[in-house]
């Protein structure tokens, strides 16, 4: 459907959280973005929270509204949130591991409790299997996070090996050139710092590494791709660019590494329709008109023994990531089993009526 403004609706997909060496890490506070109204959806596994949000989102796209889907890193086909920027409304999953409660209950925010539509008697009958399966899921996630911690340790060593050849002069020269290309002509401002929205565009999921790079950068007029191994200065360059943009009063979408949230992976500057992307250890990005910058140019040539150390680290890192993903997949299998006990006792017809009422209220919201 064509949008009321004369264009097709834009569908954007991101991850608000990721499975990391620290456990589940979330930027859930940033899901709403500029939304001023929050609907927090509560209820156990299998009650239909993701489907509820997905179908509301699809209906809003049919009506011509832009939609931002926030995918779950523990099941990339499921949603943790959906945002409608034009009417400044967000729906968000408010259950563990990302417990969210309304800031202003009743006044601005509200709770949609799908738990009201389950048969409590049937759930009590399945109490034993629900408790044991929930414990199993916790143990599998814990093991996945152990492998991710080991993978990060190896990756840090891999980065350290490469960083021994780091050439600060060439890095600074590269930084000045990129700053000029993206931010050139925009002076610093004193009275307004740019705002930063932190999210993930890639995540380690039960189905393997997943990313939504194309959704954010496909429409960008300018994209620069930083290609290189850990330790070549990619994240440092992005951090410097982010600081430079903020002092110029530019709003920035900052996308973090799914394995190490302290590191930046990508930046998008909406006002400039420009972005900077890194190709990483578990995601690639190709855009026909993107300019590719080889970060190896910031390193001195490595001796053979360092190249061998880096290659070995890469091999071990990949094996550990594969083991972590295997345990995330086992946890999802157990979670799918858990959901069946809730699905069996749900009044989905009642939820369908609730969804229709919710959609009607959204469509009557002032833009």
């Amino acid at each position: 459907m064509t949008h009321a403004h004369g264009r097709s609706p834009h569908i954007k997909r991101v991850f608000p959280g990721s499975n990391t060496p620290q456990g589940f890490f979330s930027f859930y506070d940033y899901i709403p973005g500029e939304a001023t109204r929050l609907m927090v959806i509560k209820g156990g596994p299998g009650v239909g929270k993701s489907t509820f949000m997905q179908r509301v989102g699809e209906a809003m796209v049919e009506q011509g509204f832009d939609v931002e889907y926030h995918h779950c890193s523990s099941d990339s086909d499921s949603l943790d949130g959906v945002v409608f920027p034009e009417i400044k409304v967000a729906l968000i999953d408010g259950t563990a591991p990302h417990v969210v409660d309304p800031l202003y209950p009743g006044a601005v925010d509200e709770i949609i409790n799908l738990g009201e539509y389950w048969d409590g008697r049937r759930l009590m009958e399945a109490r034993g299997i629900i408790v044991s399966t929930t414990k199993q899921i916790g143990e599998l996630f814990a093991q996945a996070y152990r492998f991710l911690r080991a993978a990060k340790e190896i990756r840090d060593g891999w980065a350290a090996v490469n960083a021994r050849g780091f050439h600060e002069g060439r890095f600074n020269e590269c930084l000045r050139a990129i700053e000029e290309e993206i931010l050139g002509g925009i002076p610093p401002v004193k009275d307004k710092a740019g705002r930063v929205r932190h999210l993930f565009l890639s995540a380690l999921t039960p189905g393997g590494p997943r990313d939504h790079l194309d959704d954010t950068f496909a429409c960008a007029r300018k994209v620069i791709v930083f290609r290189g191994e850990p330790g070549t200065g990619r994240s440092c360059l992005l951090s410097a660019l982010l600081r430079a943009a903020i002092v110029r009063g530019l709003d920035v979408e900052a996308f973090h590494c799914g394995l190490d949230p302290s590191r930046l992976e990508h930046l998008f500057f909406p006002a400039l329709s420009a972005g900077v992307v890194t190709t990483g250890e578990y995601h690639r990005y190709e855009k026909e008109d993107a300019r590719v910058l080889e970060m190896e140019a910031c390193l001195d040539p490595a001796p053979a023994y360092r190249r061998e150390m880096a290659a070995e680290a890469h091999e071990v890192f990949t094996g550990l990531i594969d083991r972590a993903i295997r345990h995330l997949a086992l946890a999802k299998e157990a979670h799918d089993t858990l959901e069946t006990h809730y699905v069996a006792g749900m009044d989905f017809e009642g939820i369908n009526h609730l969804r229709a009422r919710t959609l009607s209220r959204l469509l009557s919201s002032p833009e």
Side-chain angles (χ1 to χ4, degrees), residues 69-253:
Y69 290 114
H70 290 251
H71 287 260
C72 172
S73 59
S74 296
D75 179 359
S76 57
D77 292 329
S78 292
L79 296 178
D80 283 335
V82 60
V83 182
F84 309 107
E86 292 151 299
I87 59 172
K88 296 188 175 182
V89 176
L91 280 68
I92 186 170
D93 182 345
T95 56
H98 32 73
V99 177
V100 177
D101 289 305
L103 287 176
Y104 309 104
V108 178
D109 306 331
E110 64 182 276
I111 291 175
I112 298 176
N113 185 11
L114 301 190
E116 294 176 359
Y117 294 85
W118 65 35
D119 183 340
R121 181 183 55 80
R122 294 188 68 162
L123 291 177
M124 284 300 295
E125 291 172 356
R127 178 180 176 181
I129 189 66
I130 287 174
V131 170
S132 64
T133 304
T134 301
K135 288 180 179 177
Q136 179 188 358
I137 293 168
E139 291 173 11
L140 289 166
F141 270 113
Q143 184 73 337
Y145 297 147
R146 290 186 192 101
F147 283 121
L148 289 179
R149 284 195 292 275
K152 182 182 181 301
E153 181 73 18
I154 294 296
R155 189 199 178 281
D156 289 347
W158 180 10
V161 168
N162 286 328
R164 290 190 188 110
F166 187 71
H167 193 289
E168 190 169 350
R170 287 201 291 271
F171 174 84
N172 289 334
E173 186 179 326
C174 174
L175 173 59
R176 284 192 294 270
I178 296 298
E179 269 194 37
E180 179 62 30
E181 184 170 347
I182 295 179
L183 306 174
I186 304 174
V189 293
K190 294 180 179 179
D191 58 343
K192 176 187 176 291
R195 292 171 298 182
V196 184
R197 189 184 187 201
H198 300 276
L199 291 165
F200 297 97
L201 272 183
S202 59
L204 296 171
T205 78
R210 294 286 184 271
D211 70 71
H212 295 297
L213 289 165
D214 287 338
D215 289 311
T216 292
F217 295 105
C219 298
R221 290 195 295 270
K222 178 186 287 292
V223 177
I224 299 175
V225 179
F226 297 158
R227 188 159 60 197
E229 292 188 359
T232 55
R234 295 169 303 173
S235 185
C236 292
L237 207 160
L238 289 175
S239 295
L241 275 176
L242 177 60
R243 290 191 296 270
I246 290 171
V247 300
R248 286 166 170 79
L250 290 172
D251 294 343
V252 186
E253 292 185 341

Side-chain angles (χ1 to χ4, degrees), residues 10 25 209 215 276 287 313 340 344:
H10 180 231
F25 186 98
D215 289 311
V276 180
K287 192 173 190 291
T340 62

Side-chain angles (χ1 to χ4, degrees), residues 344-366:
M346 291 302 299
D347 173 13
F348 286 108
E349 185 177 346
I351 290 178
N352 288 340
H353 288 307
L354 174 63
R355 188 176 67 248
R357 293 196 301 272
T358 302
L359 180 62
S360 176
R361 290 163 55 208
L362 290 177
L363 292 172
S364 63
S365 296

